[in-house]
Amino acid sequence: MGVLAASPLHAAHNKSAALGTDPIQNDKVGSYDWVRPQADFVRREVMVPMRDGAELFTVIVFRKGTRDAPILLSRTPYNAASTTARNRSQTITEILPITDADFVNDGYIRVYQDVRGMDRSEGEYVMTRPLRGPLNKTRVDHSTDAYDTIAWLVKNVPETNGKVGMIGSSYLGFTTLMALIDPHPALKAAVPQSPMVDGWKGDDWFHNGAFRPFSFDYLLAQTAARGGGPLPVGSMVDEYETYLETGSTRDIVRKWGIEDMPAVRKVLEHPTYDDYWQGQALDKLLAARKLTVPILLVVGQWDQEDSYGAPAVYRALKPQDPDGQMVHLAIGPWRHSGVNYDGTTLGPLKFEGDTAEQFRSRWMKPFLDCRLKTNPPPCQTPPVITYATGADRWETSQRWPDGAEQPLYLAPQFGLSFQKPGEASSDDYVSDPVKPVPMRPRPVHLDGDDWKTWLVHDQRFADGRPDVLSYTGPVLDRPLHIKGAPRVELHAATSGRDADWVVKLIDVYPRENTRDPTMAGYQLPIGIEIFRGRYVGGFSTPAPLDPGKPYTFQWSLPNVDHVFLPGHRIMVQVQSSLFPLYDRNPQSWVPVVFDAKPGDYVKATQTIYRGGDAASAVWLPVTKD
């Protein structure tokens, strides 16, 4: 047989192999710059040095051609690299968060930085690193890191005009506030949104002494270098059932193997309002210093995570600003961080347009423009900006609260009255921690839309339960407008040694509502808040309650601007659990509720007093339109 001649195709392949890429060459490459020359923006990644030698990963983004520009800075634990690469695009408004478009389209330089110890920044991560002092013996905190970052930016970014603003929500609101403590002179304005201010009184971890066990999901996600995320309880499970089966807070951390994590231990070791929590309360820290940077505090009326912080800072700083030029407060009809998302609806509620975009364009950006631009417009931000839910309109005020307190009393036959009932009486219910009142209809999911909108969920699921008392007023014949934080004055007793008290202020829609049938009879919560009874004598001094002894429990509901419309009714609900959002009160005396054993959970008869010298009421901040 003769030798077969090589085919032309085979010969061409051999020639390619000889002259081109080796077929078995490693295909992995070191890097690829996804920002191409045709991009309409500049994106720089830099490591910014801090005073202790650590370097923090920072991303600087601006539209090509930007000059003499203000800097808008956010310091985040949520990955600066991915935040500035929302899409792999060559268009600046596509790579940044949507709400940044108005700024970069108007000549701003946008900067995001990984906080110390997170993602690509050096150093050690402390969940909410305390200010230098008794709780932090190091040289650095979020205040110094912000100062050093701003100093570097104004020196090393040639496109800037030397003026810096800070903005951010939730944790980023916390870092924005921290920057106001001993601020760099180039910091000219700050917009903290839904900031975490006091993690024990009313933000994130505790509310008035009652603990939120699902906080462990966040702690695990933020602090585990590998394997982090929510507790591995399964997908779409009923968390009411999951937490109830597990037991106490101590049982939860033991079951899921997180008891030795430092962030978890810090919570477990400080169940009361001790120096650990008081020393980190930002409203107190800021009030102790002279305010030099104008601030616009922003919060959602139905913020399910950090409703306490922004109004608390406003209260703390307002005495320094009698003319309303430095301290401003905004309350919108939003969930947590809702100012940065679509504000057209919240759950079943429909507003007059995109309220979040309205606020950002009408007030938030002008607040920053007038303090950061080289040729600024006049500063005309009102002292207080709120959205009147019910009436669906924006309002401005000179002060907050902007209403005079008027008591709405619990009345006979489960009614409500603005007239104090003369005869003293009471109503009872039995609270059983083995069957706690759910925070919303089951199954309960503490994530996604269920979590974001639970504060506006129809309360008819709880109305009529034997362990919930519902008091309802007459049909209103005229609008009732409240602007402030409704204050609870609850005269109550328990047959146990401790008790939780939950009060809900509710707007009851007419039973017939042809304008929007989905809201017919709807029981819309305007404010829901809890108080742990053992702290009636002070948040730092828990003590057992004397069975059967009447006590006066006082606390506030979240700040609101709401109009109860004609044809509606007002309802107040009282109960003793809100599960699984808050840990169950055993109702026997356990020195630390975290450590309750199964046998500690006991039924208790709760007595609510009304009329006479013990007239329970919700004090409404009523304003005259």
Side-chain angles (χ1 to χ4, degrees):
M1 296 179 63
V3 178
L4 294 174
S7 71
L9 181 63
H10 184 69
H13 173 76
N14 288 338
K15 182 177 181 180
S16 172
L19 300 178
T21 304
D22 188 330
I24 61 168
Q25 180 177 339
N26 181 6
D27 287 333
K28 296 286 285 185
V29 297
S31 64
Y32 170 75
D33 187 357
W34 61 270
V35 180
R36 307 312 302 157
Q38 64 267 32
D40 67 2
F41 59 88
V42 175
R43 184 179 182 276
R44 299 176 186 147
E45 295 184 355
V46 297
M47 298 298 291
V48 176
M50 300 294 105
R51 64 191 63 187
D52 65 339
E55 295 190 338
L56 306 189
F57 177 76
T58 306
V59 184
I60 304 165
V61 183
F62 53 90
R63 188 176 289 281
K64 285 180 177 177
T66 296
R67 295 289 185 273
D68 195 30
I71 291 173
L72 193 58
L73 168 66
S74 297
R75 305 191 61 253
T76 178
Y78 304 127
N79 197 310
S82 62
T83 299
T84 54
R86 181 171 61 90
N87 293 309
R88 286 167 66 87
S89 171
Q90 306 308 303
T91 303
I92 190 169
T93 54
E94 288 297 310
I95 70 166
L96 291 171
I98 291 172
T99 53
D100 283 341
D102 288 344
F103 292 105
V104 295
N105 285 339
D106 194 29
Y108 276 74
I109 298 168
R110 197 65 175 95
V111 178
Y112 287 88
Q113 181 181 74
D114 288 334
V115 297
R116 179 179 293 266
M118 287 300 285
D119 297 300
R120 293 164 67 176
S121 281
E122 299 174 352
E124 296 182 342
Y125 179 63
V126 178
M127 177 68 70
T128 49
R129 180 180 288 270
L131 194 70
R132 291 156 294 149
L135 298 174
N136 178 0
K137 300 298 184 182
T138 74
R139 297 175 54 205
V140 295
D141 55 31
H142 285 300
S143 172
T144 64
D145 285 352
Y147 190 103
D148 295 347
T149 298
I150 293 171
W152 188 94
L153 289 171
V154 296
K155 182 179 180 180
N156 292 279
V157 179
E159 294 83 1
T160 182
N161 65 1
K163 297 180 180 180
V164 179
M166 287 192 67
I167 194 170
S169 187
S170 196
Y171 194 111
L172 286 70
F174 160 70
T175 56
T176 297
L177 283 176
M178 286 291 284
L180 302 183
I181 297 175
D182 307 322
H184 190 280
L187 181 59
K188 302 298 184 182
V191 184
Q193 305 160 335
S194 300
M196 196 287 293
V197 169
D198 191 319
W200 197 93
K201 279 191 173 181
D203 290 325
D204 287 321
W205 322 122
F206 294 81
H207 278 224
N208 295 320
F211 179 63
R212 294 182 160 193
F214 86 109
S215 301
F216 294 133
D217 286 356
Y218 184 80
L219 297 181
L220 180 59
Q222 286 296 103
T223 62
R226 293 183 299 277
L231 296 178
V233 300
S235 175
M236 297 303 290
V237 299
D238 182 357
E239 293 181 76
Y240 180 101
E241 181 178 26
T242 299
Y243 281 100
L244 193 60
E245 288 178 345
T246 303
S248 68
T249 297
R250 185 74 65 178
D251 293 331
I252 293 170
V253 300
R254 286 173 177 161
K255 177 175 181 177
W256 298 109
I258 61 174
E259 191 173 21
D260 293 328
M261 296 179 66
V264 173
R265 291 205 312 268
K266 291 172 187 177
V267 171
L268 297 179
E269 291 168 4
H270 300 281
T272 63
Y273 197 53
D274 58 13
D275 290 344
Y276 174 78
W277 297 107
Q278 293 182 44
Q280 298 183 71
L282 266 175
D283 54 337
K284 299 179 178 66
L285 293 171
L286 288 164
R289 292 163 168 80
K290 180 176 174 57
L291 180 67
T292 60
V293 179
I295 182 174
L296 173 57
L297 295 144
V298 183
V299 69
Q301 183 161 296
W302 287 285
D303 190 314
Q304 77 279 13
E305 296 179 25
D306 295 308
S307 61
Y308 177 84
V313 173
Y314 177 84
R315 281 195 308 273
L317 293 181
K318 190 57 184 173
Q320 297 189 36
D321 182 37
D323 298 328
Q325 300 300 308
M326 293 287 288
V327 184
H328 307 266
L329 175 66
I331 303 174
W334 311 310
R335 61 169 175 89
H336 181 66
S337 299
V339 65
N340 294 311
Y341 298 89
D342 180 84
T344 306
T345 63
L346 181 64
L349 303 181
K350 304 176 184 68
F351 306 119
E352 293 295 326
D354 185 347
T355 58
E357 190 280 330
Q358 292 165 7
F359 169 75
R360 296 193 306 265
S361 62
R362 294 180 192 176
W363 291 292
M364 191 180 81
K365 187 171 180 294
F367 170 84
L368 292 166
D369 287 347
C370 79
R371 292 164 175 88
L372 299 179
K373 287 196 168 186
T374 301
N375 297 303
C379 289
Q380 298 176 334
T381 309
V384 180
I385 306 155
T386 55
Y387 189 86
T389 54
D392 285 327
R393 61 176 183 253
W394 284 104
E395 300 181 332
T396 61
S397 308
Q398 294 300 308
R399 67 195 66 82
W400 192 262
D402 194 25
E405 280 198 332
Q406 186 173 341
L408 180 63
Y409 293 101
L410 306 190
Q413 300 180 342
F414 296 101
L416 294 172
S417 174
F418 286 107
Q419 300 299 318
K420 182 178 179 180
E423 182 180 354
S425 189
S426 64
D427 302 304
D428 299 333
Y429 63 95
V430 175
S431 170
D432 185 356
V434 177
K435 299 177 180 179
V437 181
M439 59 182 281
R440 56 167 296 146
R442 297 177 60 187
V444 175
H445 305 300
L446 293 169
D447 59 6
D449 286 340
D450 283 0
W451 170 239
K452 294 173 185 176
T453 64
W454 85 267
L455 279 173
V456 294
H457 198 283
D458 191 346
Q459 296 300 300
R460 280 179 287 189
F461 80 95
D463 185 19
R465 282 181 59 115
D467 50 0
V468 177
L469 300 182
S470 296
Y471 299 85
T472 308
V475 175
L476 296 172
D477 60 3
R478 64 186 61 138
L480 180 71
H481 192 177
I482 61 173
K483 299 179 75 172
R487 181 171 60 86
V488 176
E489 179 185 343
L490 189 70
H491 298 272
T494 178
S495 65
R497 303 303 305 277
D498 194 8
D500 284 352
W501 308 104
V502 178
V503 168
K504 306 172 185 174
L505 178 66
I506 297 168
D507 185 345
V508 181
Y509 281 62
R511 292 176 183 174
E512 292 184 281
N513 190 18
T514 55
R515 179 183 178 188
D516 185 358
T518 62
M519 297 299 289
Y522 201 95
Q523 294 182 6
L524 173 67
I526 304 306
I528 301 176
E529 195 55 279
I530 192 169
F531 185 93
R532 182 144 289 174
R534 63 177 53 205
Y535 296 107
V536 66
F539 286 144
S540 302
T541 54
L545 303 176
D546 293 332
K549 177 182 176 180
Y551 291 87
T552 302
F553 302 94
Q554 298 190 69
W555 71 101
S556 293
L557 304 182
N559 285 266
V560 299
D561 180 351
H562 182 73
V563 180
F564 296 90
L565 295 174
H568 291 225
R569 292 178 296 161
I570 302 175
M571 175 183 284
V572 172
Q573 288 182 356
V574 182
Q575 59 197 60
S576 287
S577 50
L578 199 61
F579 191 75
L581 178 58
Y582 295 102
D583 60 343
R584 293 172 297 149
N585 192 318
Q587 302 184 158
S588 65
W589 178 250
V590 180
V592 178
V593 173
F594 291 159
D595 298 328
K597 303 295 189 293
D600 296 326
Y601 294 95
V602 299
K603 292 181 181 180
T605 298
Q606 319 291 45
T607 301
I608 307 300
Y609 296 97
R610 48 181 170 76
D613 294 332
S616 295
V618 176
W619 292 73
L620 302 179
V622 178
T623 187
K624 295 181 180 180
D625 289 331

